Amino acid sequence: FEIEPGRRLGWHTDQTEETQYIVAGTGELLVEDGKYPVGPGSVFVLPTNVRHDLVNTGKEPLHAVAFFAAAMFTQDFDSVMLPPKSHILGTPNREG
């Protein structure tokens, strides 16, 4: 995924463990207990149901790849995402 300069992914939780790899750009990983700088080559693991956000603090787009520990997952965002005009995202088959 890509986050434009000055933008953020949005506070959310995932119902499965997530690993992210930062391909390009600079930013901050925000979690309930603090913030951590990230840049090209950064890898971090977010346990299930840990509320987090990713902010682009640089002047270039931040490019990241997310890997989930399950074939089906659900993400619950604090704010409605546009599109799809919902705060619940995830795999199409997440219901079963």
Side-chain angles (χ1 to χ4, degrees), residues 2-39:
E2 179 178 297
I3 303 172
E4 292 297 322
R7 304 295 303 256
R8 63 186 332 118
L9 186 57
W11 281 102
H12 67 284
T13 57
D14 302 311
Q15 270 88 51
T16 189
E17 181 180 272
E18 177 184 14
T19 300
Q20 286 190 20
Y21 173 73
I22 305 300
V23 177
T26 56
E28 288 180 333
L29 169 64
L30 308 176
V31 290
E32 295 286 332
D33 65 352
K35 58 184 177 179
Y36 304 91
V38 297

